[in-house]
Amino acid sequence: MAAVLSSPTETTSRTISEAASATGLTPDTLRYYERAGLLLRPVDRAASSHRRYDDGDLRWITLLTKLRRTGMPIRQIKRYAQLVRAGAGTEADRLALLQEHRAAVLRQLEEVQENLAAIDHKISVYRDCVLEDQPVPEAGAA
Amino acid sequence: MAAVLSSPTETTSRTISEAASATGLTPDTLRYYERAGLLLRPVDRAASSHRRYDDGDLRWITLLTKLRRTGMPIRQIKRYAQLVRAGAGTEADRLALLQEHRAAVLRQLEEVQENLAAIDHKISVYRDCVLEDQPVPEAGAA
DNA sequence: CCTTGACCTGGAGCGCGCTCCAGCTTCTAC
DNA sequence: GTAGAAGCTGGAGCGCGCTCCAGGTCAAGG
């Protein structure tokens, strides 16, 4: 992806703050993820200190954030990263992990939607009573 | 509500563990919610100690759990409880609070669904490669 | 050169939402 | 009456996912 033909020596690489704004995370969070073992390998360093993120790092981190934003716990992402690191032969395990996560997300979406329906009903009651400028006709609950 | 004509003296009331299993919470959580100011009023006590939950308490707590399970923070639930406690005149504020929450939940549902779509795609890649017993055709990311 | 700001590390701190505990009182069943 | 379960209070502890900090290194502009 995005292979740059114009300058062959310059391999795509970003500072931590560039990587942060590219992924919507903070530098602190990026360092935290690395320490926590969520990355496939330690990020490359320039001049014996500062991190340099390449395209592969960014693609992986982007996937991480999708897992996080669907509620996958750090621990489980770490397991997934371990499987990927282990290389060929772990594909079935990775698939299983992702499918389990998918199922969990669907369950959770459904639960939220159910509970939201009850809240919607409450909202409609309030909307009616506010429209008519009447106190809500509640008997104990509100 | 639910006025029982059969036994006029017995007003509906439950111990904390009964209330807990009725609401899917634990006794500790019920006490925590009460301490945190999420209830409309301190729960009634029997014989100068043990809590007794009546139908109104249960209806309210049930609503609380729906708010919690859609991700409303304790702080905001507390605000809502304060409005309800304040009585007539706060209906518009309550409505606004619930509508804001609804909007937040919808945004979050949408975000989760978007991210899940990317994960679904990943799953389909893995499913194909596992079916064919081939290593995943990945170029840096996995 | 020197300043200024980004980056480094290891570790502490925090906000959230419970959960658990000690030490005591109370209720229930026998 | 008595044992054992259940409840009480105040407060500590915990798992999670960051977030912040001190104290130092490094690098680029003037």
Side-chain angles (χ1 to χ4, degrees), chain A residues 84-102:
Chain A
V84 174
R85 249 179 260 129
T90 62
E91 287 84 356
D93 287 349
R94 298 183 218 168
L95 176 58
L97 189 154
L98 293 178
Q99 281 176 331
E100 268 169 47
H101 177 59
R102 179 183 144 84

Side-chain angles (χ1 to χ4, degrees), chain B residues 15-27 30 58:
Chain B
T15 67
I16 195 169
S17 62
E18 287 165 349
S21 53
T23 55
L25 302 173
T26 67
L30 283 175
L58 253 73

Side-chain angles (χ1 to χ4, degrees), chain A residues 123-136:
Chain A
I123 286 178
S124 76
V125 170
Y126 271 118
R127 203 171 35 223
D128 292 352
C129 92
V130 167
L131 262 185
E132 302 167 20
D133 205 25
Q134 297 284 330
V136 67

Side-chain angles (χ1 to χ4, degrees), chain B residues 28 33 47 68 73-75:
Chain B
D28 266 321
Y33 282 176
R68 278 298 300 129
I74 297 289
R75 246 192 342 278

Side-chain angles (χ1 to χ4, degrees), chain A residues 65-96:
Chain A
T65 63
K66 291 182 197 311
L67 295 174
R68 279 298 299 128
R69 286 167 191 166
T70 50
M72 186 183 285
I74 299 288
R75 244 191 344 278
Q76 200 173 348
I77 298 181
K78 186 174 174 181
R79 270 230 345 110
Y80 183 63
Q82 282 165 347
L83 290 174
V84 174
R85 249 179 260 129
T90 62
E91 287 84 356
D93 287 349
R94 298 183 218 168
L95 176 58

